[in-house]
Amino acid sequence: MHGFSHSMQGTPDAMQIRDLPFTDPGEPDVRSGPRFLYWLGRNQLGGQLKSLAWGLLHQCGIAGLPWTVGLAVQAAVDRSGHRLALAAALNVLLGVAIAVGDTMLHRTAVTNWITAAARVQQLLARKTAELGSVLTRRVAAGEVVAVSTGDVEKIGWFVEALSRFAAAAAALVTICVGLLIYQPTLGIVVALGVPVLALAVLPLLPRATRRADIQREKAGRATELASDTVAGLRVLRGIGGEELFLGRYREASQEVRRAAVRSARMWSLISAVQVLLPGLLLITVVLYGAHLALAGRIAVGELVTVYSAVTLMLYPLQHFEEIAMAYSFSRPSAKRAARVLALQRVTDPAGTDTGVPSGPERRALPSGDLYDPKTGLLAPEGRFTAVVCGDPDAAGRLADRLGGHAADGDGLPSVLLGGVALDGLALDDARTVVLVQDKDPVLLSGTLRELLDVPSSGRVDAADALAAAQCGDVLEALAQASVDGGQDPMATRITERGRSLSGGQRQRLALARSLVTDPEVLVLDEPTSAVDSHTEARVADGIKRLRAGRTTVVFTSSPLLLDLAERIVFVHDGEVASVGVHRELVHTDARYRAVVTRETDEEESKTMQRVEESA
């Protein structure tokens, strides 16, 4: 991730918007925010050079106007019609150069902005797909949202402004050198004053940058708070905590406003300095130039040329302020993006290469028993294993670990499938052999046919999966919602995240999608928590029937599912406490019975006492 060797691989230098998305966005340098920005710039070298060329045409056209204006004034003073016509023709040519340069500069600069933002978004999407649900356990969901929206725009702004700044700086150097040659007496004043104008704001930039960082940090926290509040709004309303959390968000918003005002004050001061100092330079040039003209040391046309040049220099000087603002706002954004992109799957603690050769050297996918050395959990190959955990959060983490998505980095060996470490497999291979369905799976918008059109073994068709997941009522609802009158549920469009369906219907559709995939190992986390007991019993029977001969692990505390399981593993305090079948464990293990039957602490204590007395 840290090298530059692959920075240009697979992507053209001058990427066009029509070529998006990138075939390969590359491997970013995520050691720091500035390094990430530098990596982005290197990947867009062709686009930056093209934008710089058009910017130079635009800026040099502007820089040439003072000379032609001075030429015209002097021709009028000397009553030379030939030189006046020449000055007019040169003005027309410069006007065309300015118009063409400005148009193409805007086009190429915006292309750089959009392609940089698209590259960052592709990198974030790839990282999200790589880490899955583990991502939001390492980074707050609100921060991921902030990076993929506002931060991407600010990073693109800096990349876009870079070439325009370079063109403006080149134009300033050209004007200064030209004035020194054209009129050395006044040119030396301008040449000495311009560096002062360009560098005068540098002492103010660190404070402005710190204030901008604070603003971005507070805005990120407010975004995280808003995201978490919206996600839990239903629960908050249920416990009467809605106003409490909204009050916290209002307070966070006011902190962002105050930080933004303090930041704006610094930037307004910088803007004032960049207006005041050029004005002072212009006054100095006019006064000194008028004195020289009265003394007969310079012509009137030369004075007009120098005056016009100094006036037009205010335009490229504005780009110095813009690049400073763009960098100060994009640096923390790039830092956050680099922090997200630096996240890695947990690898072999020995540091060995976890990649799997591709092509002819690719080894066969593993199969066999699924074993977790951390907890001691064993799911025999081809059997239906149920796992019971007293802590639902611990169950979710263990389900992720069984899928090779462990995030704790505790130094323990990876989960093994047939003796092969899942973390030692390529990501695509690990996802192929083990599929984990979260407790709250997401349904993407699209038709039902598109929802079930997923990579699969081909052994389970959509109809069988829908039947096993008891989706009959879902199919009827989708058929009635068909807008074309064909009443084909497979062609009916499912709304975003399945919001038009009930929680139980969404859960069963997600289960059908997992069953269609038909992986070597299927891990389900509470697949029937949102359905009634009658439907749950039929779903449990459908899972067992359709997954016969395939390894299935279900995290649940439902007696209906547990009674159908061939093997039950009870995990307590992070370790396997007992193994057996439901009817046996419910009588012999008081802790298991307390979890399954939802006994209170007092009832559990009495049960434990009776067990000890009978023993």
Side-chain angles (χ1 to χ4, degrees), residues 273-351:
V273 169
Q274 290 203 322
V275 171
L276 174 64
L277 294 183
L280 293 177
L281 176 63
L282 187 61
I283 293 173
T284 301
V285 168
V286 170
L287 291 176
Y288 185 48
H291 172 73
L292 294 176
L294 289 174
R297 297 174 58 184
I298 64 172
V300 175
E302 292 176 334
L303 176 59
V304 172
T305 297
V306 177
Y307 170 80
S308 302
V310 174
T311 303
L312 291 176
M313 286 173 66
L314 301 181
Y315 175 69
L317 278 172
Q318 293 175 358
H319 292 282
F320 283 75
E321 178 189 357
E322 183 188 7
I323 195 66
M325 291 184 64
Y327 180 73
S328 66
F329 279 90
S330 66
R331 187 172 61 85
S333 296
K335 182 180 178 180
R336 278 196 295 267
R339 184 166 60 243
V340 174
L341 294 174
L343 298 176
Q344 295 285 334
R345 293 177 68 208
V346 176
T347 55
D348 190 301

Side-chain angles (χ1 to χ4, degrees), residues 20-347:
L20 296 175
F22 292 94
T23 304
D24 176 14
E27 292 296 330
D29 183 351
V30 293
R31 287 176 288 182
S32 66
R35 287 180 181 271
F36 180 62
L37 290 175
Y38 174 62
W39 177 85
L40 278 177
R42 284 194 57 178
N43 270 267
Q44 291 192 306
L45 185 59
Q48 292 289 342
L49 291 176
K50 185 184 294 185
S51 184
L52 175 60
W54 290 116
L56 286 174
L57 177 63
H58 173 62
Q59 296 284 356
C60 289
I62 294 176
L65 286 176
W67 177 66
T68 58
V69 170
L71 182 62
V73 171
Q74 192 61 45
V77 171
D78 297 340
R79 298 182 180 277
S80 173
H82 175 71
R83 281 187 290 157
L84 187 61
L86 176 62
L90 291 174
N91 266 322
V92 171
L93 289 176
L94 290 177
V96 172
I98 292 171
V100 173
D102 191 24
T103 301
M104 296 306 298
L105 171 62
H106 179 75
R107 179 171 179 171
T108 53
V110 171
T111 298
N112 288 336
W113 183 334
I114 294 176
T115 52
R119 188 186 299 274
V120 177
Q121 286 178 327
Q122 278 190 251
L123 290 170
L124 290 170
R126 185 174 69 183
K127 182 60 63 175
T128 302
E130 176 186 337
L131 296 177
S133 61
V134 172
L135 176 62
T136 52
R137 291 181 183 166
R138 298 200 197 179
V139 182
E143 182 170 354
V144 177
V145 173
V147 170
S148 61
T149 53
D151 287 339
V152 166
E153 291 296 316
K154 292 177 179 61
I155 292 171
W157 176 29
F158 173 74
V159 173
E160 178 262 346
L162 196 58
S163 56
R164 290 190 290 108
F165 163 73
L172 284 176
V173 173
T174 302
I175 292 175
C176 290
V177 173
L179 288 178
L180 283 172
I181 296 173
Y182 178 73
Q183 178 46 252
T185 306
L186 287 177
I188 191 68
V189 176
V190 177
L192 292 176
V194 167
V196 175
L197 299 182
L199 302 178
V201 298
L202 286 183
L204 301 176
L205 286 179
R207 181 177 295 181
T209 301
R210 284 195 299 271
R211 291 190 179 185
D213 289 349
I214 293 173
Q215 178 193 350
R216 299 267 62 81
E217 182 181 351
K218 291 183 179 296
R221 285 203 296 265
T223 301
E224 293 175 22
L225 181 60
S227 176
D228 294 340
T229 302
V230 171
L233 193 57
R234 182 178 297 179
V235 177
L236 292 176
R237 285 175 173 169
I239 62 176
E242 181 182 2
E243 285 301 322
L244 174 63
F245 276 80
L246 288 177
R248 292 179 182 175
Y249 179 68
R250 292 189 190 100
E251 182 179 348
S253 298
Q254 289 303 311
E255 290 183 5
V256 174
R257 181 189 61 80
R258 289 190 289 268
V261 170
R262 294 185 71 246
S263 178
R265 285 173 180 166
M266 285 304 304
W267 290 113
S268 63
L269 178 60
I270 291 174
S271 298
V273 169
Q274 290 203 322
V275 171
L276 174 64
L277 294 183
L280 293 177
L281 176 63
L282 187 61
I283 293 173
T284 301
V285 168
V286 170
L287 291 176
Y288 185 48
H291 172 73
L292 294 176
L294 289 174
R297 297 174 58 184
I298 64 172
V300 175
E302 292 176 334
L303 176 59
V304 172
T305 297
V306 177
Y307 170 80
S308 302
V310 174
T311 303
L312 291 176
M313 286 173 66
L314 301 181
Y315 175 69
L317 278 172
Q318 293 175 358
H319 292 282
F320 283 75
E321 178 189 357
E322 183 188 7
I323 195 66
M325 291 184 64
Y327 180 73
S328 66
F329 279 90
S330 66
R331 187 172 61 85
S333 296
K335 182 180 178 180
R336 278 196 295 267
R339 184 166 60 243
V340 174
L341 294 174
L343 298 176
Q344 295 285 334
R345 293 177 68 208
V346 176
T347 55

Side-chain angles (χ1 to χ4, degrees), residues 361-412:
E361 299 179 1
R362 187 188 185 96
R363 61 174 177 258
L365 296 179
S367 62
D369 296 344
L370 185 69
Y371 176 67
D372 176 23
K374 179 180 179 181
T375 60
L377 188 153
L378 174 67
E381 180 181 13
R383 298 182 65 183
F384 184 177
T385 302
V387 180
V388 178
C389 292
D391 182 0
D393 292 333
R397 290 192 295 269
L398 180 53
D400 283 334
R401 179 173 172 79
L402 292 181
H405 311 316
D408 29 309
D410 48 21
L412 290 175

Side-chain angles (χ1 to χ4, degrees), residues 410-432:
D410 48 21
L412 290 175
S414 163
V415 170
L416 306 176
L417 178 62
V420 177
L422 288 181
D423 285 347
L425 295 176
L427 179 63
D428 289 344
D429 292 343
R431 295 277 172 84
T432 299

